[in-house]
Amino acid sequence: MARQLPKKGGAFVLDPSPAAELIEAFTNTVDLESGDDDVATPAALADWLAARSLAEPSLRLDADEHSAFLALRAGIREALDTGDPVAPERPALADAVLAEVPLLVTLGAPGAPLVPAPGGPPARTAGGRDQGCAGGAGP
C-alpha cells in the first residue's frame, strides 16, 4: 500500500531531505538585494562549513578555493532558477568546480555520505594532506 503524503492547502507536501536543506542553506548564504554574504571571506566560508560538520574546524581556505565555492554557489542558484539575474556562464563555472571534486553519488542507504569517485584524485583533508579514496574518505 502506498504511503499517504501530507497535504497543505490542497497540495502534497514532502519534507525536504537534509541534503536538500543543506543545498538551500548554501545557496542562501548570500542576499543579493542587501549584499549580505555569510561566506564573504575564506575564513567565514570555513566557519560555515565547519558549523555544518562539512569540514574540520581547522580548515583554512585560500582565495582560489573560496572563489571556487562562490562559483559553485552562483551556478547552483542559476540552476535552481532563484530569480537572480540570468548569467549563462554560472552553470558552466559551477560544472568546472564540480569536475575538480569528482564525487560518487549513489541512491544507497539514507544519509550515506558523498565519497570520492573511484579512480579520481585523492581527497584533500582539512590540513591539506592527500588521502586515498579507500574507505570512502571524503574531501
mmCIF file of all heavy atoms in Angstrom, residues 50-100:
data_model
loop_
_atom_site.group_PDB
_atom_site.id
_atom_site.type_symbol
_atom_site.label_atom_id
_atom_site.label_comp_id
_atom_site.label_asym_id
_atom_site.label_seq_id
_atom_site.Cartn_x
_atom_site.Cartn_y
_atom_site.Cartn_z
ATOM 1 N N ALA A 50 32.458 24.212 8.726
ATOM 2 C CA ALA A 50 32.721 23.510 9.985
ATOM 3 C C ALA A 50 31.465 23.459 10.857
ATOM 4 O O ALA A 50 31.205 22.435 11.503
ATOM 5 C CB ALA A 50 33.865 24.187 10.736
ATOM 6 N N ALA A 51 30.678 24.517 10.856
ATOM 7 C CA ALA A 51 29.451 24.558 11.657
ATOM 8 C C ALA A 51 28.451 23.499 11.216
ATOM 9 O O ALA A 51 27.587 23.091 11.990
ATOM 10 C CB ALA A 51 28.817 25.944 11.598
ATOM 11 N N ARG A 52 28.583 23.044 9.992
ATOM 12 C CA ARG A 52 27.677 22.025 9.456
ATOM 13 C C ARG A 52 28.358 20.668 9.344
ATOM 14 O O ARG A 52 27.892 19.778 8.655
ATOM 15 C CB ARG A 52 27.141 22.485 8.101
ATOM 16 C CG ARG A 52 26.102 23.575 8.291
ATOM 17 C CD ARG A 52 26.019 24.532 7.138
ATOM 18 N NE ARG A 52 25.104 25.613 7.468
ATOM 19 C CZ ARG A 52 25.434 26.686 8.191
ATOM 20 N NH1 ARG A 52 26.664 26.812 8.644
ATOM 21 N NH2 ARG A 52 24.555 27.618 8.458
ATOM 22 N N SER A 53 29.484 20.528 10.005
ATOM 23 C CA SER A 53 30.265 19.280 10.025
ATOM 24 C C SER A 53 30.701 18.851 8.630
ATOM 25 O O SER A 53 30.827 17.666 8.343
ATOM 26 C CB SER A 53 29.475 18.152 10.710
ATOM 27 O OG SER A 53 29.175 18.512 12.034
ATOM 28 N N LEU A 54 30.927 19.819 7.748
ATOM 29 C CA LEU A 54 31.391 19.525 6.399
ATOM 30 C C LEU A 54 32.901 19.678 6.279
ATOM 31 O O LEU A 54 33.472 19.362 5.243
ATOM 32 C CB LEU A 54 30.695 20.448 5.394
ATOM 33 C CG LEU A 54 29.184 20.276 5.315
ATOM 34 C CD1 LEU A 54 28.577 21.363 4.435
ATOM 35 C CD2 LEU A 54 28.827 18.895 4.792
ATOM 36 N N ALA A 55 33.512 20.188 7.329
ATOM 37 C CA ALA A 55 34.960 20.375 7.347
ATOM 38 C C ALA A 55 35.406 20.415 8.798
ATOM 39 O O ALA A 55 34.610 20.692 9.704
ATOM 40 C CB ALA A 55 35.349 21.668 6.635
ATOM 41 N N GLU A 56 36.666 20.147 8.987
ATOM 42 C CA GLU A 56 37.257 20.257 10.317
ATOM 43 C C GLU A 56 37.333 21.736 10.710
ATOM 44 O O GLU A 56 37.528 22.599 9.849
ATOM 45 C CB GLU A 56 38.658 19.652 10.317
ATOM 46 C CG GLU A 56 38.683 18.159 10.047
ATOM 47 C CD GLU A 56 38.023 17.357 11.153
ATOM 48 O OE1 GLU A 56 38.143 17.752 12.324
ATOM 49 O OE2 GLU A 56 37.381 16.342 10.834
ATOM 50 N N PRO A 57 37.195 22.051 11.993
ATOM 51 C CA PRO A 57 37.306 23.447 12.423
ATOM 52 C C PRO A 57 38.646 24.083 12.058
ATOM 53 O O PRO A 57 38.739 25.305 11.950
ATOM 54 C CB PRO A 57 37.126 23.370 13.939
ATOM 55 C CG PRO A 57 36.368 22.109 14.168
ATOM 56 C CD PRO A 57 36.810 21.156 13.083
ATOM 57 N N SER A 58 39.656 23.273 11.830
ATOM 58 C CA SER A 58 40.982 23.801 11.494
ATOM 59 C C SER A 58 41.145 24.128 10.009
ATOM 60 O O SER A 58 42.203 24.604 9.593
ATOM 61 C CB SER A 58 42.055 22.781 11.898
ATOM 62 O OG SER A 58 41.849 21.562 11.200
ATOM 63 N N LEU A 59 40.097 23.925 9.216
ATOM 64 C CA LEU A 59 40.184 24.162 7.776
ATOM 65 C C LEU A 59 40.575 25.604 7.478
ATOM 66 O O LEU A 59 40.018 26.551 8.039
ATOM 67 C CB LEU A 59 38.847 23.857 7.103
ATOM 68 C CG LEU A 59 38.771 24.142 5.598
ATOM 69 C CD1 LEU A 59 39.697 23.195 4.827
ATOM 70 C CD2 LEU A 59 37.350 24.011 5.102
ATOM 71 N N ARG A 60 41.538 25.759 6.586
ATOM 72 C CA ARG A 60 41.940 27.071 6.090
ATOM 73 C C ARG A 60 41.802 27.039 4.574
ATOM 74 O O ARG A 60 42.399 26.201 3.911
ATOM 75 C CB ARG A 60 43.392 27.399 6.465
ATOM 76 C CG ARG A 60 43.655 27.432 7.939
ATOM 77 C CD ARG A 60 42.949 28.623 8.605
ATOM 78 N NE ARG A 60 43.121 28.615 10.035
ATOM 79 C CZ ARG A 60 42.199 28.213 10.924
ATOM 80 N NH1 ARG A 60 41.033 27.788 10.507
ATOM 81 N NH2 ARG A 60 42.439 28.253 12.203
ATOM 82 N N LEU A 61 41.012 27.930 4.036
ATOM 83 C CA LEU A 61 40.805 28.001 2.597
ATOM 84 C C LEU A 61 41.604 29.151 2.024
ATOM 85 O O LEU A 61 41.702 30.216 2.648
ATOM 86 C CB LEU A 61 39.322 28.211 2.284
ATOM 87 C CG LEU A 61 38.377 27.093 2.720
ATOM 88 C CD1 LEU A 61 36.934 27.542 2.568
ATOM 89 C CD2 LEU A 61 38.635 25.844 1.901
ATOM 90 N N ASP A 62 42.132 28.945 0.814
ATOM 91 C CA ASP A 62 42.819 30.062 0.163
ATOM 92 C C ASP A 62 41.832 30.790 -0.753
ATOM 93 O O ASP A 62 40.672 30.386 -0.890
ATOM 94 C CB ASP A 62 44.074 29.593 -0.580
ATOM 95 C CG ASP A 62 43.788 28.633 -1.733
ATOM 96 O OD1 ASP A 62 42.693 28.706 -2.347
ATOM 97 O OD2 ASP A 62 44.673 27.817 -2.046
ATOM 98 N N ALA A 63 42.277 31.852 -1.364
ATOM 99 C CA ALA A 63 41.403 32.689 -2.198
ATOM 100 C C ALA A 63 40.836 31.914 -3.385
ATOM 101 O O ALA A 63 39.673 32.102 -3.756
ATOM 102 C CB ALA A 63 42.157 33.926 -2.674
ATOM 103 N N ASP A 64 41.652 31.028 -3.988
ATOM 104 C CA ASP A 64 41.162 30.251 -5.134
ATOM 105 C C ASP A 64 40.073 29.267 -4.709
ATOM 106 O O ASP A 64 39.070 29.100 -5.410
ATOM 107 C CB ASP A 64 42.307 29.495 -5.808
ATOM 108 C CG ASP A 64 43.255 30.415 -6.559
ATOM 109 O OD1 ASP A 64 42.854 31.546 -6.920
ATOM 110 O OD2 ASP A 64 44.413 29.999 -6.786
ATOM 111 N N GLU A 65 40.261 28.619 -3.572
ATOM 112 C CA GLU A 65 39.237 27.691 -3.074
ATOM 113 C C GLU A 65 37.957 28.446 -2.734
ATOM 114 O O GLU A 65 36.855 27.983 -3.051
ATOM 115 C CB GLU A 65 39.764 26.939 -1.852
ATOM 116 C CG GLU A 65 40.891 25.986 -2.182
ATOM 117 C CD GLU A 65 41.633 25.496 -0.956
ATOM 118 O OE1 GLU A 65 41.785 26.257 0.020
ATOM 119 O OE2 GLU A 65 42.089 24.342 -0.991
ATOM 120 N N HIS A 66 38.096 29.595 -2.119
ATOM 121 C CA HIS A 66 36.937 30.418 -1.791
ATOM 122 C C HIS A 66 36.191 30.819 -3.062
ATOM 123 O O HIS A 66 34.966 30.704 -3.146
ATOM 124 C CB HIS A 66 37.392 31.649 -0.995
ATOM 125 C CG HIS A 66 36.276 32.537 -0.591
ATOM 126 N ND1 HIS A 66 36.102 33.793 -1.137
ATOM 127 C CD2 HIS A 66 35.266 32.371 0.291
ATOM 128 C CE1 HIS A 66 35.042 34.352 -0.596
ATOM 129 N NE2 HIS A 66 34.515 33.515 0.276
ATOM 130 N N SER A 67 36.928 31.261 -4.062
ATOM 131 C CA SER A 67 36.317 31.643 -5.342
ATOM 132 C C SER A 67 35.590 30.466 -5.977
ATOM 133 O O SER A 67 34.519 30.642 -6.572
ATOM 134 C CB SER A 67 37.378 32.171 -6.301
ATOM 135 O OG SER A 67 37.889 33.390 -5.829
ATOM 136 N N ALA A 68 36.167 29.279 -5.858
ATOM 137 C CA ALA A 68 35.518 28.090 -6.423
ATOM 138 C C ALA A 68 34.178 27.830 -5.736
ATOM 139 O O ALA A 68 33.179 27.526 -6.405
ATOM 140 C CB ALA A 68 36.434 26.879 -6.295
ATOM 141 N N PHE A 69 34.127 27.958 -4.405
ATOM 142 C CA PHE A 69 32.859 27.769 -3.694
ATOM 143 C C PHE A 69 31.836 28.816 -4.119
ATOM 144 O O PHE A 69 30.659 28.501 -4.295
ATOM 145 C CB PHE A 69 33.071 27.839 -2.184
ATOM 146 C CG PHE A 69 33.396 26.525 -1.551
ATOM 147 C CD1 PHE A 69 34.711 26.156 -1.337
ATOM 148 C CD2 PHE A 69 32.393 25.652 -1.163
ATOM 149 C CE1 PHE A 69 35.023 24.950 -0.747
ATOM 150 C CE2 PHE A 69 32.688 24.438 -0.579
ATOM 151 C CZ PHE A 69 34.018 24.087 -0.362
ATOM 152 N N LEU A 70 32.283 30.061 -4.287
ATOM 153 C CA LEU A 70 31.347 31.108 -4.706
ATOM 154 C C LEU A 70 30.830 30.850 -6.113
ATOM 155 O O LEU A 70 29.653 31.098 -6.402
ATOM 156 C CB LEU A 70 32.014 32.477 -4.602
ATOM 157 C CG LEU A 70 32.449 32.916 -3.193
ATOM 158 C CD1 LEU A 70 33.003 34.333 -3.243
ATOM 159 C CD2 LEU A 70 31.318 32.792 -2.188
ATOM 160 N N ALA A 71 31.690 30.341 -7.000
ATOM 161 C CA ALA A 71 31.250 29.982 -8.357
ATOM 162 C C ALA A 71 30.250 28.836 -8.309
ATOM 163 O O ALA A 71 29.253 28.837 -9.038
ATOM 164 C CB ALA A 71 32.455 29.613 -9.218
ATOM 165 N N LEU A 72 30.513 27.867 -7.431
ATOM 166 C CA LEU A 72 29.578 26.752 -7.277
ATOM 167 C C LEU A 72 28.232 27.261 -6.769
ATOM 168 O O LEU A 72 27.180 26.897 -7.306
ATOM 169 C CB LEU A 72 30.161 25.715 -6.315
ATOM 170 C CG LEU A 72 29.279 24.515 -6.017
ATOM 171 C CD1 LEU A 72 28.955 23.744 -7.293
ATOM 172 C CD2 LEU A 72 29.955 23.616 -4.991
ATOM 173 N N ARG A 73 28.252 28.132 -5.782
ATOM 174 C CA ARG A 73 27.004 28.682 -5.248
ATOM 175 C C ARG A 73 26.230 29.423 -6.329
ATOM 176 O O ARG A 73 25.015 29.246 -6.484
ATOM 177 C CB ARG A 73 27.303 29.614 -4.070
ATOM 178 C CG ARG A 73 26.057 30.235 -3.464
ATOM 179 C CD ARG A 73 26.373 31.181 -2.344
ATOM 180 N NE ARG A 73 27.098 32.353 -2.830
ATOM 181 C CZ ARG A 73 27.608 33.284 -2.043
ATOM 182 N NH1 ARG A 73 27.504 33.192 -0.726
ATOM 183 N NH2 ARG A 73 28.254 34.321 -2.561
ATOM 184 N N ALA A 74 26.921 30.250 -7.108
ATOM 185 C CA ALA A 74 26.252 31.002 -8.174
ATOM 186 C C ALA A 74 25.653 30.057 -9.212
ATOM 187 O O ALA A 74 24.542 30.290 -9.703
ATOM 188 C CB ALA A 74 27.236 31.960 -8.835
ATOM 189 N N GLY A 75 26.382 29.003 -9.534
ATOM 190 C CA GLY A 75 25.867 28.033 -10.506
ATOM 191 C C GLY A 75 24.646 27.298 -9.993
ATOM 192 O O GLY A 75 23.686 27.060 -10.737
ATOM 193 N N ILE A 76 24.665 26.932 -8.721
ATOM 194 C CA ILE A 76 23.501 26.260 -8.129
ATOM 195 C C ILE A 76 22.308 27.200 -8.131
ATOM 196 O O ILE A 76 21.195 26.800 -8.498
ATOM 197 C CB ILE A 76 23.814 25.773 -6.697
ATOM 198 C CG1 ILE A 76 24.852 24.651 -6.729
ATOM 199 C CG2 ILE A 76 22.538 25.303 -6.002
ATOM 200 C CD1 ILE A 76 25.400 24.280 -5.361
ATOM 201 N N ARG A 77 22.522 28.458 -7.741
ATOM 202 C CA ARG A 77 21.421 29.424 -7.740
ATOM 203 C C ARG A 77 20.830 29.565 -9.142
ATOM 204 O O ARG A 77 19.615 29.624 -9.317
ATOM 205 C CB ARG A 77 21.888 30.783 -7.217
ATOM 206 C CG ARG A 77 22.183 30.800 -5.725
ATOM 207 C CD ARG A 77 22.650 32.171 -5.261
ATOM 208 N NE ARG A 77 21.567 33.148 -5.316
ATOM 209 C CZ ARG A 77 20.708 33.387 -4.327
ATOM 210 N NH1 ARG A 77 20.810 32.731 -3.204
ATOM 211 N NH2 ARG A 77 19.771 34.292 -4.470
ATOM 212 N N GLU A 78 21.702 29.621 -10.137
ATOM 213 C CA GLU A 78 21.232 29.745 -11.523
ATOM 214 C C GLU A 78 20.453 28.498 -11.937
ATOM 215 O O GLU A 78 19.386 28.594 -12.550
ATOM 216 C CB GLU A 78 22.426 29.972 -12.448
ATOM 217 C CG GLU A 78 22.045 30.364 -13.850
ATOM 218 C CD GLU A 78 21.520 31.790 -13.937
ATOM 219 O OE1 GLU A 78 21.907 32.657 -13.136
ATOM 220 O OE2 GLU A 78 20.696 32.029 -14.837
ATOM 221 N N ALA A 79 20.990 27.317 -11.583
ATOM 222 C CA ALA A 79 20.324 26.063 -11.954
ATOM 223 C C ALA A 79 18.966 25.927 -11.280
ATOM 224 O O ALA A 79 18.033 25.359 -11.858
ATOM 225 C CB ALA A 79 21.216 24.879 -11.596
ATOM 226 N N LEU A 80 18.844 26.463 -10.079
ATOM 227 C CA LEU A 80 17.569 26.388 -9.360
ATOM 228 C C LEU A 80 16.610 27.493 -9.768
ATOM 229 O O LEU A 80 15.488 27.543 -9.283
ATOM 230 C CB LEU A 80 17.817 26.459 -7.843
ATOM 231 C CG LEU A 80 18.573 25.287 -7.241
ATOM 232 C CD1 LEU A 80 18.854 25.535 -5.765
ATOM 233 C CD2 LEU A 80 17.802 23.997 -7.433
ATOM 234 N N ASP A 81 17.065 28.382 -10.647
ATOM 235 C CA ASP A 81 16.246 29.489 -11.127
ATOM 236 C C ASP A 81 15.671 30.267 -9.957
ATOM 237 O O ASP A 81 14.466 30.352 -9.772
ATOM 238 C CB ASP A 81 15.140 28.983 -12.045
ATOM 239 C CG ASP A 81 14.429 30.134 -12.749
ATOM 240 O OD1 ASP A 81 15.030 31.206 -12.925
ATOM 241 O OD2 ASP A 81 13.257 29.948 -13.123
ATOM 242 N N THR A 82 16.562 30.848 -9.176
ATOM 243 C CA THR A 82 16.160 31.566 -7.975
ATOM 244 C C THR A 82 15.653 32.972 -8.239
ATOM 245 O O THR A 82 15.370 33.708 -7.318
ATOM 246 C CB THR A 82 17.352 31.650 -6.996
ATOM 247 O OG1 THR A 82 18.415 32.349 -7.648
ATOM 248 C CG2 THR A 82 17.801 30.281 -6.546
ATOM 249 N N GLY A 83 15.568 33.357 -9.490
ATOM 250 C CA GLY A 83 15.108 34.698 -9.805
ATOM 251 C C GLY A 83 16.238 35.706 -9.895
ATOM 252 O O GLY A 83 16.008 36.875 -10.106
ATOM 253 N N ASP A 84 17.474 35.226 -9.704
ATOM 254 C CA ASP A 84 18.636 36.109 -9.851
ATOM 255 C C ASP A 84 18.744 36.519 -11.324
ATOM 256 O O ASP A 84 18.233 35.845 -12.203
ATOM 257 C CB ASP A 84 19.931 35.386 -9.472
ATOM 258 C CG ASP A 84 19.956 35.004 -8.000
ATOM 259 O OD1 ASP A 84 19.138 35.545 -7.237
ATOM 260 O OD2 ASP A 84 20.785 34.168 -7.643
ATOM 261 N N PRO A 85 19.435 37.613 -11.592
ATOM 262 C CA PRO A 85 19.671 37.973 -12.995
ATOM 263 C C PRO A 85 20.348 36.818 -13.735
ATOM 264 O O PRO A 85 21.199 36.122 -13.175
ATOM 265 C CB PRO A 85 20.616 39.175 -12.891
ATOM 266 C CG PRO A 85 20.424 39.697 -11.511
ATOM 267 C CD PRO A 85 20.040 38.533 -10.654
ATOM 268 N N VAL A 86 19.934 36.600 -14.954
ATOM 269 C CA VAL A 86 20.459 35.478 -15.734
ATOM 270 C C VAL A 86 21.922 35.706 -16.078
ATOM 271 O O VAL A 86 22.305 36.759 -16.566
ATOM 272 C CB VAL A 86 19.627 35.286 -17.023
ATOM 273 C CG1 VAL A 86 20.226 34.201 -17.883
ATOM 274 C CG2 VAL A 86 18.189 34.982 -16.678
ATOM 275 N N ALA A 87 22.736 34.723 -15.779
ATOM 276 C CA ALA A 87 24.161 34.742 -16.112
ATOM 277 C C ALA A 87 24.505 33.358 -16.640
ATOM 278 O O ALA A 87 24.795 32.454 -15.863
ATOM 279 C CB ALA A 87 25.000 35.092 -14.892
ATOM 280 N N PRO A 88 24.428 33.163 -17.961
ATOM 281 C CA PRO A 88 24.577 31.822 -18.521
ATOM 282 C C PRO A 88 25.919 31.156 -18.224
ATOM 283 O O PRO A 88 26.016 29.943 -18.282
ATOM 284 C CB PRO A 88 24.390 32.033 -20.020
ATOM 285 C CG PRO A 88 24.402 33.490 -20.253
ATOM 286 C CD PRO A 88 24.192 34.181 -18.955
ATOM 287 N N GLU A 89 26.937 31.944 -17.873
ATOM 288 C CA GLU A 89 28.236 31.323 -17.583
ATOM 289 C C GLU A 89 28.269 30.675 -16.204
ATOM 290 O O GLU A 89 29.134 29.854 -15.919
ATOM 291 C CB GLU A 89 29.372 32.349 -17.710
ATOM 292 C CG GLU A 89 29.438 33.389 -16.612
ATOM 293 C CD GLU A 89 28.448 34.551 -16.747
ATOM 294 O OE1 GLU A 89 27.677 34.603 -17.721
ATOM 295 O OE2 GLU A 89 28.445 35.405 -15.857
ATOM 296 N N ARG A 90 27.344 31.005 -15.324
ATOM 297 C CA ARG A 90 27.373 30.476 -13.958
ATOM 298 C C ARG A 90 27.307 28.953 -13.903
ATOM 299 O O ARG A 90 28.113 28.340 -13.204
ATOM 300 C CB ARG A 90 26.269 31.092 -13.117
ATOM 301 C CG ARG A 90 26.548 32.524 -12.753
ATOM 302 C CD ARG A 90 25.443 33.075 -11.894
ATOM 303 N NE ARG A 90 25.726 34.446 -11.536
ATOM 304 C CZ ARG A 90 24.850 35.225 -10.928
ATOM 305 N NH1 ARG A 90 23.663 34.772 -10.616
ATOM 306 N NH2 ARG A 90 25.173 36.459 -10.628
ATOM 307 N N PRO A 91 26.366 28.298 -14.579
ATOM 308 C CA PRO A 91 26.360 26.828 -14.521
ATOM 309 C C PRO A 91 27.655 26.218 -15.061
ATOM 310 O O PRO A 91 28.146 25.224 -14.518
ATOM 311 C CB PRO A 91 25.149 26.439 -15.374
ATOM 312 C CG PRO A 91 24.246 27.618 -15.288
ATOM 313 C CD PRO A 91 25.180 28.813 -15.264
ATOM 314 N N ALA A 92 28.236 26.809 -16.097
ATOM 315 C CA ALA A 92 29.492 26.280 -16.642
ATOM 316 C C ALA A 92 30.617 26.416 -15.620
ATOM 317 O O ALA A 92 31.438 25.507 -15.464
ATOM 318 C CB ALA A 92 29.852 27.003 -17.940
ATOM 319 N N LEU A 93 30.672 27.536 -14.908
ATOM 320 C CA LEU A 93 31.683 27.706 -13.868
ATOM 321 C C LEU A 93 31.467 26.705 -12.735
ATOM 322 O O LEU A 93 32.427 26.133 -12.212
ATOM 323 C CB LEU A 93 31.657 29.135 -13.324
ATOM 324 C CG LEU A 93 32.148 30.227 -14.273
ATOM 325 C CD1 LEU A 93 31.879 31.603 -13.680
ATOM 326 C CD2 LEU A 93 33.619 30.046 -14.578
ATOM 327 N N ALA A 94 30.217 26.480 -12.353
ATOM 328 C CA ALA A 94 29.917 25.503 -11.309
ATOM 329 C C ALA A 94 30.307 24.100 -11.759
ATOM 330 O O ALA A 94 30.868 23.322 -10.986
ATOM 331 C CB ALA A 94 28.438 25.556 -10.936
ATOM 332 N N ASP A 95 30.032 23.771 -13.010
ATOM 333 C CA ASP A 95 30.437 22.460 -13.535
ATOM 334 C C ASP A 95 31.947 22.292 -13.492
ATOM 335 O O ASP A 95 32.458 21.214 -13.186
ATOM 336 C CB ASP A 95 29.944 22.266 -14.975
ATOM 337 C CG ASP A 95 28.468 21.912 -15.033
ATOM 338 O OD1 ASP A 95 27.908 21.502 -13.996
ATOM 339 O OD2 ASP A 95 27.888 22.032 -16.128
ATOM 340 N N ALA A 96 32.686 23.359 -13.770
ATOM 341 C CA ALA A 96 34.146 23.302 -13.718
ATOM 342 C C ALA A 96 34.619 23.030 -12.293
ATOM 343 O O ALA A 96 35.554 22.256 -12.075
ATOM 344 C CB ALA A 96 34.753 24.591 -14.260
ATOM 345 N N VAL A 97 33.963 23.643 -11.321
ATOM 346 C CA VAL A 97 34.310 23.391 -9.922
ATOM 347 C C VAL A 97 34.015 21.934 -9.570
ATOM 348 O O VAL A 97 34.842 21.245 -8.975
ATOM 349 C CB VAL A 97 33.528 24.334 -8.985
ATOM 350 C CG1 VAL A 97 33.719 23.940 -7.529
ATOM 351 C CG2 VAL A 97 33.951 25.776 -9.208
ATOM 352 N N LEU A 98 32.844 21.462 -9.952
ATOM 353 C CA LEU A 98 32.468 20.082 -9.636
ATOM 354 C C LEU A 98 33.393 19.067 -10.305
ATOM 355 O O LEU A 98 33.657 18.002 -9.746
ATOM 356 C CB LEU A 98 31.013 19.818 -10.037
ATOM 357 C CG LEU A 98 29.981 20.554 -9.191
ATOM 358 C CD1 LEU A 98 28.590 20.381 -9.790
ATOM 359 C CD2 LEU A 98 30.021 20.081 -7.753
ATOM 360 N N ALA A 99 33.908 19.392 -11.481
ATOM 361 C CA ALA A 99 34.828 18.485 -12.174
ATOM 362 C C ALA A 99 36.121 18.309 -11.390
ATOM 363 O O ALA A 99 36.785 17.282 -11.502
ATOM 364 C CB ALA A 99 35.127 19.009 -13.575
ATOM 365 N N GLU A 100 36.471 19.308 -10.581
ATOM 366 C CA GLU A 100 37.690 19.231 -9.773
ATOM 367 C C GLU A 100 37.500 18.428 -8.494
ATOM 368 O O GLU A 100 38.462 18.054 -7.844
ATOM 369 C CB GLU A 100 38.175 20.640 -9.417
ATOM 370 C CG GLU A 100 38.640 21.426 -10.622
ATOM 371 C CD GLU A 100 39.840 20.790 -11.299
ATOM 372 O OE1 GLU A 100 40.767 20.369 -10.598
ATOM 373 O OE2 GLU A 100 39.837 20.718 -12.544
#
